[in-house]
Amino acid sequence: MKTVEDLKRMREQFQSQTKLRHAGGIQIIVGMGTCGIAAGAREVMSAILDEIAKRKLQDVTVRQTGCIGMCEKEVLVDVVRPDEPRITYGKVTPAAVSKIIGEHVVNGRIVEELVVGKISQ
């Protein structure tokens, strides 16, 4: 970093990366309780962040939560699209992440074979 422009580019880059975890219209919530972590939640979280970066999605918030009591269904991933029911996917693997992001987050089509819960608002 040698100029003010370099500093501005760095700030924009870090703000974009931070936005993936803290702001946006669509929310993706990963169960990161001990049961989730034991089932592979860290790898799923990494796959989600990689897929969002690969697709250059801007309006998506990724966050984590603790155990919600369905340990046998871990890794649990919720997708919340504005004005749509909250969909909980179960037994999510890193390999399934691309399908969930592509079908549900991008195109609004629920991946029925992985759904374990639906909460209407």
Side-chain angles (χ1 to χ4, degrees):
M1 178 175 62
K2 295 183 179 182
T3 67
V4 173
E5 294 303 316
D6 290 342
L7 183 60
K8 287 180 181 176
R9 275 194 297 276
M10 284 182 65
R11 182 179 70 187
E12 289 171 5
Q13 178 184 3
F14 289 125
Q15 284 176 335
S16 176
Q17 291 172 352
T18 302
K19 186 176 178 181
L20 289 177
R21 288 185 178 258
H22 299 292
I26 297 172
Q27 294 182 52
I28 299 174
I29 305 160
V30 181
M32 298 285 283
T34 53
C35 51
I37 291 170
R42 286 188 177 129
E43 292 81 5
V44 169
M45 174 69 94
S46 292
I48 289 169
L49 294 173
D50 290 346
E51 190 69 24
I52 289 170
K54 186 172 88 178
R55 293 174 181 260
K56 299 182 177 158
L57 301 177
Q58 296 294 313
D59 199 22
V60 178
T61 301
V62 180
R63 49 189 189 106
Q64 61 186 40
T65 190
C67 179
I68 62 169
M70 295 196 316
C71 304
E72 73 280 358
K73 301 287 187 188
E74 293 287 355
V75 176
L76 293 166
V77 175
D78 287 5
V79 174
V80 185
R81 293 174 49 91
D83 302 321
E84 293 181 15
R86 178 178 180 153
I87 303 298
T88 301
Y89 293 104
K91 297 194 178 287
V92 176
T93 63
V97 166
S98 178
K99 186 171 189 174
I100 292 170
I101 299 291
E103 291 293 319
H104 193 177
V105 174
V106 173
N107 294 312
R109 294 187 296 255
I110 298 169
V111 183
E112 297 290 345
E113 67 267 22
L114 296 174
V115 172
V116 296
K118 183 187 225 181
I119 300 172
S120 298
Q121 298 182 16

